[in-house]
Amino acid sequence: MVLPDGFAHPDPAVRLDTLITFLAQTPPEEAVQVAALCLHDSDPGIREEAAQYLSAHPTPEAAQAIAPIIQHPELPIRNLAGELLVRIGRPAVEALLPFVDSPNADVRKFAIDVLAQLPAQDVADRIAAHIEDPDVNVRLSVIDALGMLKATGYAPLLRQRYADHPQERAHILTALGAFRDPRDLKLIETALNDPDPVVRYAAAEALARYPIPEVLTLLLQQLAQATPEARPLILYDLIEAYESAPAPRPPLPETLRPYFLEMLFEPDLEFKKAAIRGLRYLFDTATLEALLEHAGQHDELDIALFEAIATHPETLTCIARCAESGRMSLNAAAGFTIALLAQGCIDDVQLPQAAQFLQAHFENLDAETKMAAITLALQLQHPAFSNLVQQGLHDPDPSVRHYADDVLYATQRK
Protein backbone atom coordinates (compact mmCIF):
# COMPACT_ATOMS: atom_id res chain seq x y z
CA MET A 1 0.00 0.00 0.00
CA VAL A 2 1.37 3.42 -1.01
CA LEU A 3 0.66 6.00 1.69
CA PRO A 4 0.20 9.72 1.06
CA ASP A 5 3.31 11.87 1.54
CA GLY A 6 1.55 13.73 4.35
CA PHE A 7 2.19 10.83 6.74
CA ALA A 8 5.93 11.67 6.68
CA HIS A 9 5.49 15.44 7.04
CA PRO A 10 7.43 17.01 9.96
CA ASP A 11 4.38 19.07 11.02
CA PRO A 12 2.06 17.00 13.26
CA ALA A 13 -0.95 19.05 12.10
CA VAL A 14 -0.33 17.99 8.52
CA ARG A 15 0.12 14.36 9.55
CA LEU A 16 -3.12 14.50 11.54
CA ASP A 17 -5.10 15.96 8.64
CA THR A 18 -3.63 13.31 6.35
CA LEU A 19 -4.64 10.55 8.77
CA ILE A 20 -8.21 11.85 9.16
CA THR A 21 -8.66 12.09 5.40
CA PHE A 22 -7.11 8.68 4.79
CA LEU A 23 -9.28 6.93 7.39
CA ALA A 24 -12.42 8.51 5.98
CA GLN A 25 -11.64 7.38 2.41
CA THR A 26 -10.13 3.91 2.98
CA PRO A 27 -11.88 0.57 3.60
CA PRO A 28 -11.54 -0.54 7.25
CA GLU A 29 -9.56 -3.68 6.45
CA GLU A 30 -6.76 -1.46 5.08
CA ALA A 31 -7.30 1.53 7.33
CA VAL A 32 -6.80 -0.41 10.58
CA GLN A 33 -3.27 -1.34 9.48
CA VAL A 34 -2.34 2.29 8.94
CA ALA A 35 -4.09 3.40 12.13
CA ALA A 36 -2.03 0.84 14.06
CA LEU A 37 1.16 2.22 12.51
CA CYS A 38 0.14 5.69 13.64
CA LEU A 39 0.09 4.50 17.25
CA HIS A 40 3.88 4.79 17.00
CA ASP A 41 3.70 8.49 16.08
CA SER A 42 5.50 10.91 18.38
CA ASP A 43 2.45 13.21 18.50
CA PRO A 44 -0.18 12.23 21.12
CA GLY A 45 -2.98 13.82 19.09
CA ILE A 46 -2.25 11.53 16.14
CA ARG A 47 -2.06 8.50 18.43
CA GLU A 48 -5.43 9.43 19.94
CA GLU A 49 -7.06 9.83 16.52
CA ALA A 50 -5.72 6.43 15.45
CA ALA A 51 -6.86 4.89 18.74
CA GLN A 52 -10.39 6.21 18.32
CA TYR A 53 -10.61 4.68 14.85
CA LEU A 54 -9.30 1.33 16.06
CA SER A 55 -11.75 1.33 18.98
CA ALA A 56 -14.57 1.85 16.51
CA HIS A 57 -13.37 -1.13 14.42
CA PRO A 58 -12.81 -3.97 16.96
CA THR A 59 -11.94 -6.62 14.40
CA PRO A 60 -9.48 -9.51 14.51
CA GLU A 61 -7.42 -7.63 11.91
CA ALA A 62 -7.21 -4.59 14.17
CA ALA A 63 -6.18 -6.76 17.12
CA GLN A 64 -3.47 -8.48 15.03
CA ALA A 65 -2.11 -5.08 13.98
CA ILE A 66 -2.10 -3.68 17.52
CA ALA A 67 -0.80 -6.67 19.49
CA PRO A 68 2.90 -6.37 18.45
CA ILE A 69 2.93 -2.82 19.84
CA ILE A 70 2.91 -4.21 23.40
CA GLN A 71 6.66 -4.74 22.73
CA HIS A 72 7.21 -1.00 22.18
CA PRO A 73 10.02 0.44 24.33
CA GLU A 74 7.98 3.54 25.29
CA LEU A 75 5.54 2.96 28.14
CA PRO A 76 2.75 5.36 26.99
CA ILE A 77 2.60 3.67 23.57
CA ARG A 78 2.72 0.20 25.11
CA ASN A 79 -0.07 1.10 27.54
CA LEU A 80 -2.20 2.58 24.76
CA ALA A 81 -1.90 -0.66 22.81
CA GLY A 82 -2.97 -2.62 25.89
CA GLU A 83 -5.98 -0.35 26.47
CA LEU A 84 -7.06 -0.75 22.85
CA LEU A 85 -6.80 -4.53 23.00
CA VAL A 86 -9.01 -4.55 26.11
CA ARG A 87 -11.56 -2.37 24.29
CA ILE A 88 -11.50 -4.71 21.28
CA GLY A 89 -12.34 -7.63 23.55
CA ARG A 90 -12.51 -11.24 22.46
CA PRO A 91 -10.76 -10.80 19.06
CA ALA A 92 -7.67 -9.61 20.97
CA VAL A 93 -7.20 -12.94 22.77
CA GLU A 94 -5.82 -14.85 19.80
CA ALA A 95 -3.68 -11.89 18.78
CA LEU A 96 -2.04 -11.74 22.23
CA LEU A 97 -1.38 -15.44 22.76
CA PRO A 98 1.98 -15.62 20.91
CA PHE A 99 3.37 -12.90 23.20
CA VAL A 100 2.67 -14.97 26.31
CA ASP A 101 5.65 -17.07 25.20
CA SER A 102 7.90 -14.14 24.25
CA PRO A 103 11.61 -14.45 25.15
CA ASN A 104 11.26 -11.02 26.78
CA ALA A 105 9.92 -11.26 30.35
CA ASP A 106 8.38 -7.77 30.26
CA VAL A 107 6.42 -8.69 27.13
CA ARG A 108 5.26 -11.97 28.67
CA LYS A 109 4.05 -10.13 31.75
CA PHE A 110 2.28 -7.43 29.76
CA ALA A 111 0.53 -9.96 27.53
CA ILE A 112 -0.72 -11.89 30.55
CA ASP A 113 -1.85 -8.70 32.29
CA VAL A 114 -3.93 -7.71 29.25
CA LEU A 115 -5.36 -11.22 28.79
CA ALA A 116 -6.52 -11.12 32.42
CA GLN A 117 -8.81 -8.22 31.47
CA LEU A 118 -10.30 -10.03 28.48
CA PRO A 119 -12.81 -12.89 28.10
CA ALA A 120 -9.89 -15.28 28.00
CA GLN A 121 -11.05 -18.06 30.33
CA ASP A 122 -10.46 -20.67 27.64
CA VAL A 123 -6.74 -19.85 27.44
CA ALA A 124 -6.11 -20.08 31.20
CA ASP A 125 -4.01 -23.20 30.60
CA ARG A 126 -1.70 -21.27 28.30
CA ILE A 127 -1.27 -18.61 30.98
CA ALA A 128 -0.86 -21.15 33.80
CA ALA A 129 1.96 -22.80 31.87
CA HIS A 130 4.15 -19.90 33.05
CA ILE A 131 3.50 -20.50 36.76
CA GLU A 132 7.17 -21.60 37.01
CA ASP A 133 8.46 -18.75 34.83
CA PRO A 134 12.04 -17.74 35.67
CA ASP A 135 10.86 -14.13 36.17
CA VAL A 136 9.07 -13.49 39.45
CA ASN A 137 6.93 -10.68 38.01
CA VAL A 138 5.64 -13.01 35.30
CA ARG A 139 4.75 -15.62 37.93
CA LEU A 140 2.84 -13.03 39.96
CA SER A 141 0.98 -11.91 36.83
CA VAL A 142 0.03 -15.50 36.12
CA ILE A 143 -1.47 -15.86 39.61
CA ASP A 144 -3.33 -12.55 39.27
CA ALA A 145 -4.67 -13.57 35.88
CA LEU A 146 -5.91 -16.94 37.13
CA GLY A 147 -7.87 -15.12 39.82
CA MET A 148 -9.29 -12.49 37.48
CA LEU A 149 -10.29 -15.16 34.96
CA LYS A 150 -11.92 -17.24 37.72
CA ALA A 151 -9.80 -20.22 36.72
CA THR A 152 -10.97 -22.20 39.76
CA GLY A 153 -9.41 -25.41 38.49
CA TYR A 154 -6.05 -24.01 39.56
CA ALA A 155 -7.08 -23.47 43.19
CA PRO A 156 -5.33 -26.69 44.37
CA LEU A 157 -2.10 -25.61 42.68
CA LEU A 158 -2.27 -22.16 44.27
CA ARG A 159 -2.93 -23.64 47.72
CA GLN A 160 0.08 -25.91 47.22
CA ARG A 161 2.32 -22.97 46.24
CA TYR A 162 1.22 -20.88 49.22
CA ALA A 163 3.47 -22.68 51.71
CA ASP A 164 6.59 -22.83 49.56
CA HIS A 165 6.54 -19.41 47.85
CA PRO A 166 6.27 -16.60 50.45
CA GLN A 167 6.63 -13.83 47.86
CA GLU A 168 3.53 -15.12 46.05
CA ARG A 169 1.28 -15.35 49.12
CA ALA A 170 -0.51 -12.01 48.83
CA HIS A 171 -1.28 -12.66 45.15
CA ILE A 172 -2.44 -16.21 45.87
CA LEU A 173 -4.81 -14.94 48.57
CA THR A 174 -6.29 -12.41 46.16
CA ALA A 175 -6.86 -15.13 43.57
CA LEU A 176 -8.42 -17.50 46.10
CA GLY A 177 -10.67 -14.69 47.30
CA ALA A 178 -11.89 -14.27 43.74
CA PHE A 179 -12.75 -17.99 43.63
CA ARG A 180 -14.84 -17.78 46.85
CA ASP A 181 -14.32 -21.45 47.55
CA PRO A 182 -15.32 -22.28 51.17
CA ARG A 183 -12.42 -24.73 51.28
CA ASP A 184 -10.00 -21.77 51.23
CA LEU A 185 -11.48 -19.99 54.24
CA LYS A 186 -9.21 -21.74 56.73
CA LEU A 187 -6.09 -20.72 54.81
CA ILE A 188 -7.30 -17.14 54.48
CA GLU A 189 -8.22 -16.96 58.17
CA THR A 190 -4.74 -18.21 59.12
CA ALA A 191 -3.18 -15.59 56.83
CA LEU A 192 -4.91 -12.84 58.85
CA ASN A 193 -2.20 -13.42 61.48
CA ASP A 194 0.76 -13.61 59.09
CA PRO A 195 3.78 -11.57 60.24
CA ASP A 196 3.88 -9.85 56.82
CA PRO A 197 1.38 -6.93 56.83
CA VAL A 198 0.95 -7.16 53.05
CA VAL A 199 -0.19 -10.76 53.42
CA ARG A 200 -2.55 -9.79 56.26
CA TYR A 201 -4.17 -7.06 54.16
CA ALA A 202 -4.50 -9.40 51.18
CA ALA A 203 -6.17 -11.96 53.46
CA ALA A 204 -8.62 -9.37 54.76
CA GLU A 205 -9.44 -8.31 51.21
CA ALA A 206 -9.89 -11.93 50.13
CA LEU A 207 -12.11 -12.62 53.11
CA ALA A 208 -14.33 -9.69 52.17
CA ARG A 209 -15.18 -11.45 48.92
CA TYR A 210 -17.05 -14.16 50.84
CA PRO A 211 -20.68 -13.06 51.43
CA ILE A 212 -21.17 -14.78 54.76
CA PRO A 213 -21.82 -13.22 58.19
CA GLU A 214 -18.93 -15.09 59.84
CA VAL A 215 -16.53 -13.00 57.79
CA LEU A 216 -17.62 -9.86 59.65
CA THR A 217 -16.50 -11.29 62.97
CA LEU A 218 -13.08 -12.15 61.57
CA LEU A 219 -12.63 -8.70 60.04
CA LEU A 220 -13.68 -7.00 63.28
CA GLN A 221 -11.03 -9.03 65.09
CA GLN A 222 -8.50 -7.97 62.46
CA LEU A 223 -9.50 -4.34 62.88
CA ALA A 224 -8.93 -4.50 66.63
CA GLN A 225 -5.32 -5.55 65.99
CA ALA A 226 -4.63 -3.13 63.12
CA THR A 227 -2.36 -0.09 63.31
CA PRO A 228 -3.95 3.34 62.58
CA GLU A 229 -2.29 3.29 59.15
CA ALA A 230 -3.80 -0.11 58.33
CA ARG A 231 -7.30 0.59 59.66
CA PRO A 232 -8.68 2.20 56.46
CA LEU A 233 -7.81 -0.92 54.46
CA ILE A 234 -9.56 -3.19 56.96
CA LEU A 235 -12.57 -0.86 57.20
CA TYR A 236 -12.87 -0.78 53.42
CA ASP A 237 -12.86 -4.57 53.26
CA LEU A 238 -15.26 -4.77 56.19
CA ILE A 239 -17.92 -2.56 54.58
CA GLU A 240 -17.52 -4.46 51.30
CA ALA A 241 -18.14 -7.72 53.14
CA TYR A 242 -21.01 -6.26 55.17
CA GLU A 243 -22.91 -5.00 52.14
CA SER A 244 -22.48 -8.28 50.26
CA ALA A 245 -23.58 -10.43 53.21
CA PRO A 246 -27.06 -11.96 52.95
CA ALA A 247 -29.89 -10.51 55.02
CA PRO A 248 -30.58 -10.39 57.84
CA ARG A 249 -27.27 -8.72 58.73
CA PRO A 250 -26.25 -7.98 62.32
CA PRO A 251 -26.00 -4.26 63.10
CA LEU A 252 -22.55 -2.73 62.84
CA PRO A 253 -21.08 -2.11 66.29
CA GLU A 254 -21.03 1.48 67.57
CA THR A 255 -17.29 1.14 68.13
CA LEU A 256 -16.80 1.52 64.38
CA ARG A 257 -18.25 5.04 64.26
CA PRO A 258 -15.06 6.92 65.32
CA TYR A 259 -13.00 4.83 62.91
CA PHE A 260 -15.28 5.66 59.97
CA LEU A 261 -15.34 9.35 60.97
CA GLU A 262 -11.54 9.35 61.07
CA MET A 263 -11.49 7.64 57.67
CA LEU A 264 -13.29 10.66 56.14
CA PHE A 265 -9.99 12.54 56.41
CA GLU A 266 -8.08 10.00 54.32
CA PRO A 267 -6.67 11.46 51.09
CA ASP A 268 -7.90 8.46 49.06
CA LEU A 269 -11.35 9.16 47.60
CA GLU A 270 -12.37 5.50 47.68
CA PHE A 271 -11.64 5.34 51.41
CA LYS A 272 -13.75 8.47 51.99
CA LYS A 273 -16.66 6.95 50.05
CA ALA A 274 -16.32 3.69 52.00
CA ALA A 275 -16.46 5.68 55.25
CA ILE A 276 -19.71 7.30 54.11
CA ARG A 277 -21.15 3.88 53.29
CA GLY A 278 -20.22 2.65 56.75
CA LEU A 279 -21.66 5.67 58.54
CA ARG A 280 -25.02 5.18 56.81
CA TYR A 281 -25.52 2.23 59.12
CA LEU A 282 -24.61 4.30 62.19
CA PHE A 283 -26.61 7.42 61.45
CA ASP A 284 -27.57 10.09 63.95
CA THR A 285 -27.69 13.89 63.77
CA ALA A 286 -24.11 14.37 64.95
CA THR A 287 -22.85 11.91 62.34
CA LEU A 288 -24.87 13.64 59.62
CA GLU A 289 -23.31 16.99 60.50
CA ALA A 290 -19.84 15.45 60.60
CA LEU A 291 -20.43 14.18 57.06
CA LEU A 292 -21.57 17.61 55.86
CA GLU A 293 -18.23 19.09 56.90
CA HIS A 294 -16.70 17.21 53.96
CA ALA A 295 -19.09 18.59 51.32
CA GLY A 296 -17.69 20.61 48.44
CA GLN A 297 -14.34 18.82 48.23
CA HIS A 298 -15.01 16.62 45.19
CA ASP A 299 -18.01 16.05 42.92
CA GLU A 300 -17.88 12.27 43.34
CA LEU A 301 -17.71 12.61 47.12
CA ASP A 302 -20.64 15.06 47.09
CA ILE A 303 -22.75 12.51 45.21
CA ALA A 304 -21.94 9.84 47.81
CA LEU A 305 -22.73 12.29 50.63
CA PHE A 306 -26.01 13.32 49.06
CA GLU A 307 -27.12 9.71 48.59
CA ALA A 308 -26.32 9.03 52.24
CA ILE A 309 -28.17 12.00 53.76
CA ALA A 310 -30.99 12.73 51.30
CA THR A 311 -33.73 10.80 53.08
CA HIS A 312 -32.86 11.72 56.66
CA PRO A 313 -35.62 13.91 58.16
CA GLU A 314 -33.13 16.28 59.82
CA THR A 315 -30.96 16.85 56.74
CA LEU A 316 -32.22 20.34 55.88
CA THR A 317 -31.92 21.55 59.48
CA CYS A 318 -28.41 20.11 59.75
CA ILE A 319 -27.34 21.77 56.48
CA ALA A 320 -28.55 25.16 57.71
CA ARG A 321 -26.87 24.70 61.09
CA CYS A 322 -23.54 23.61 59.53
CA ALA A 323 -23.57 26.52 57.08
CA GLU A 324 -24.35 29.12 59.72
CA SER A 325 -21.67 27.75 62.08
CA GLY A 326 -19.03 27.67 59.32
CA ARG A 327 -18.70 23.89 59.28
CA MET A 328 -19.94 23.84 55.68
CA SER A 329 -19.42 26.42 52.95
CA LEU A 330 -22.49 28.44 51.95
CA ASN A 331 -22.17 27.40 48.31
CA ALA A 332 -22.01 23.70 49.25
CA ALA A 333 -24.95 24.10 51.66
CA ALA A 334 -27.05 25.90 49.04
CA GLY A 335 -26.09 23.33 46.42
CA PHE A 336 -27.20 20.47 48.64
CA THR A 337 -30.43 22.29 49.49
CA ILE A 338 -31.18 22.87 45.80
CA ALA A 339 -30.45 19.19 45.07
CA LEU A 340 -32.78 18.08 47.88
CA LEU A 341 -35.55 20.27 46.44
CA ALA A 342 -34.92 19.11 42.88
CA GLN A 343 -35.07 15.44 43.94
CA GLY A 344 -38.28 15.91 45.94
CA CYS A 345 -36.57 15.06 49.23
CA ILE A 346 -38.09 18.03 51.11
CA ASP A 347 -41.74 17.83 52.11
CA ASP A 348 -44.24 20.69 51.90
CA VAL A 349 -43.82 21.52 55.58
CA GLN A 350 -40.07 22.19 55.10
CA LEU A 351 -40.36 24.12 51.82
CA PRO A 352 -40.58 27.55 53.54
CA GLN A 353 -37.51 26.67 55.63
CA ALA A 354 -35.54 25.78 52.47
CA ALA A 355 -36.68 28.97 50.74
CA GLN A 356 -35.78 31.11 53.76
CA PHE A 357 -32.29 29.59 53.92
CA LEU A 358 -31.60 30.26 50.22
CA GLN A 359 -32.98 33.79 50.38
CA ALA A 360 -31.06 34.67 53.55
CA HIS A 361 -27.73 33.72 52.02
CA PHE A 362 -28.41 34.49 48.34
CA GLU A 363 -26.11 37.52 48.11
CA ASN A 364 -23.12 35.49 49.38
CA LEU A 365 -23.47 32.65 46.87
CA ASP A 366 -21.43 32.33 43.69
CA ALA A 367 -23.08 33.13 40.36
CA GLU A 368 -23.54 29.49 39.33
CA THR A 369 -25.35 28.59 42.58
CA LYS A 370 -27.52 31.72 42.35
CA MET A 371 -28.59 30.74 38.84
CA ALA A 372 -29.41 27.20 39.98
CA ALA A 373 -31.54 28.62 42.81
CA ILE A 374 -33.42 30.91 40.41
CA THR A 375 -34.09 28.05 38.00
CA LEU A 376 -35.39 25.86 40.79
CA ALA A 377 -37.62 28.62 42.18
CA LEU A 378 -39.29 29.05 38.79
CA GLN A 379 -39.71 25.30 38.38
CA LEU A 380 -41.32 24.87 41.80
CA GLN A 381 -43.77 27.75 41.34
CA HIS A 382 -44.18 27.90 45.14
CA PRO A 383 -44.97 31.27 46.78
CA ALA A 384 -42.19 30.79 49.34
CA PHE A 385 -39.58 31.00 46.56
CA SER A 386 -40.88 34.09 44.74
CA ASN A 387 -38.41 36.40 46.45
CA LEU A 388 -35.49 34.37 45.08
CA VAL A 389 -36.36 35.43 41.55
CA GLN A 390 -36.62 39.07 42.63
CA GLN A 391 -33.23 38.83 44.31
CA GLY A 392 -31.79 37.51 41.08
CA LEU A 393 -33.33 40.34 39.07
CA HIS A 394 -31.62 42.88 41.36
CA ASP A 395 -28.32 41.07 41.90
CA PRO A 396 -25.16 43.21 41.59
CA ASP A 397 -23.70 40.64 39.16
CA PRO A 398 -24.99 41.47 35.65
CA SER A 399 -24.66 37.83 34.52
CA VAL A 400 -27.07 36.78 37.30
CA ARG A 401 -29.50 39.63 36.50
CA HIS A 402 -29.55 38.78 32.80
CA TYR A 403 -30.00 35.08 33.57
CA ALA A 404 -32.91 35.75 35.93
CA ASP A 405 -34.54 38.03 33.37
CA ASP A 406 -34.11 35.48 30.57
CA VAL A 407 -35.47 32.47 32.46
CA LEU A 408 -38.36 34.48 33.90
CA TYR A 409 -39.30 35.66 30.41
CA ALA A 410 -39.05 32.11 29.04
CA THR A 411 -41.23 30.81 31.89
CA GLN A 412 -43.90 33.45 31.41
CA ARG A 413 -44.15 32.70 27.67
CA LYS A 414 -45.04 29.05 28.32
Side-chain angles (χ1 to χ4, degrees):
M1 182 192 306
V2 179
L3 298 178
D5 293 339
F7 278 110
H9 200 281
D11 186 346
V14 175
R15 296 201 303 277
L16 180 59
D17 287 342
T18 303
L19 174 62
I20 293 171
T21 301
F22 180 87
L23 295 177
Q25 297 176 350
T26 308
E29 57 271 17
E30 297 178 19
V32 293
Q33 305 297 327
V34 175
L37 287 174
C38 289
L39 295 177
H40 296 266
D41 198 281
S42 59
D43 183 76
I46 293 171
R47 295 200 299 269
E48 182 57 32
E49 183 67 31
Q52 288 182 10
Y53 183 86
L54 290 163
S55 294
H57 296 81
T59 62
E61 292 76 18
Q64 290 291 343
I66 297 166
I69 303 174
I70 69 168
Q71 304 171 103
H72 200 282
E74 293 183 28
L75 184 61
I77 293 176
R78 198 161 67 235
N79 285 343
L80 179 58
E83 291 168 13
L84 284 170
L85 290 166
V86 172
R87 287 185 221 164
I88 286 173
R90 178 63 200 181
V93 174
E94 291 300 322
L96 275 167
L97 275 181
F99 300 97
V100 171
D101 303 317
S102 168
N104 184 305
D106 288 339
V107 174
R108 293 197 300 276
K109 178 188 185 311
F110 198 91
I112 292 168
D113 288 343
V114 177
L115 282 168
Q117 302 172 66
L118 291 167
Q121 290 78 6
D122 59 329
V123 299
D125 291 348
R126 185 80 170 267
I127 294 170
H130 287 274
I131 194 72
E132 298 289 357
D133 196 279
D135 186 276
V136 62
N137 291 320
V138 175
R139 296 198 299 273
L140 296 179
S141 284
V142 168
I143 295 167
D144 292 342
L146 293 175
M148 293 172 69
L149 296 173
K150 302 291 194 299
T152 56
Y154 286 94
L157 174 62
L158 295 180
R159 292 184 205 117
Q160 181 183 342
R161 295 184 69 84
Y162 186 87
D164 300 328
H165 299 80
Q167 61 189 344
E168 297 178 5
R169 285 177 182 168
H171 294 259
I172 290 171
L173 289 166
T174 300
L176 294 177
F179 297 162
R180 298 187 181 187
D181 188 331
R183 289 173 293 183
D184 295 319
L185 275 172
K186 188 64 179 176
L187 173 61
I188 295 171
E189 184 178 348
T190 302
L192 288 170
N193 298 308
D194 194 278
D196 184 343
V198 176
V199 173
R200 293 200 300 272
Y201 305 150
E205 188 174 46
L207 199 60
R209 304 290 290 272
Y210 286 80
I212 52 175
E214 290 85 348
V215 166
L216 299 176
T217 301
L218 292 171
L219 287 175
L220 285 168
Q221 291 171 359
Q222 180 76 355
L223 183 66
Q225 303 167 14
T227 63
E229 296 78 17
R231 264 199 300 263
L233 289 164
I234 307 298
L235 286 166
Y236 182 91
D237 292 334
L238 189 147
I239 198 62
E240 287 279 304
Y242 186 77
E243 292 185 334
S244 64
R249 294 183 293 230
L252 287 179
E254 281 289 327
T255 53
L256 291 178
R257 187 194 306 274
Y259 293 150
F260 280 126
L261 288 171
E262 182 182 62
M263 194 174 171
L264 288 170
F265 292 91
E266 286 291 322
D268 189 295
L269 183 61
E270 292 305 311
F271 283 163
K272 289 177 181 285
K273 287 160 62 178
I276 293 169
R277 287 160 58 196
L279 288 168
R280 290 182 74 167
Y281 300 101
L282 300 163
F283 239 23
D284 59 15
T285 301
T287 300
L288 196 156
E289 293 189 10
L291 285 172
L292 290 172
E293 290 183 23
H294 297 268
Q297 296 179 11
H298 191 285
D299 288 346
E300 205 173 317
L301 188 66
D302 281 348
I303 291 170
L305 282 169
F306 183 82
E307 290 174 350
I309 68 173
T311 58
H312 194 283
E314 294 295 317
T315 293
L316 183 60
T317 302
C318 290
I319 288 173
R321 190 158 50 230
C322 285
E324 286 158 9
S325 64
R327 296 172 68 190
M328 186 181 190
S329 77
L330 282 175
N331 282 315
F336 270 60
T337 302
I338 292 166
L340 288 168
L341 290 162
Q343 295 295 321
C345 299
I346 295 179
D347 59 31
D348 291 345
V349 175
Q350 289 185 306
L351 282 178
Q353 181 187 350
Q356 183 181 6
F357 174 75
L358 292 173
Q359 290 164 15
H361 299 289
F362 188 85
E363 64 181 20
N364 295 316
L365 303 177
D366 62 29
E368 183 179 355
T369 308
K370 287 177 179 178
M371 293 176 190
I374 293 165
T375 301
L376 183 76
L378 289 168
Q379 288 173 346
L380 291 175
Q381 290 292 302
H382 190 282
F385 292 87
S386 59
N387 284 343
L388 268 179
V389 181
Q390 292 304 313
Q391 284 176 289
L393 291 169
H394 296 91
D395 195 83
D397 185 336
S399 66
V400 175
R401 292 199 305 273
H402 293 153
Y403 180 80
D405 189 53
D406 288 345
V407 294
L408 180 60
Y409 177 72
T411 302
Q412 290 172 342
R413 287 191 62 192
K414 290 180 180 178

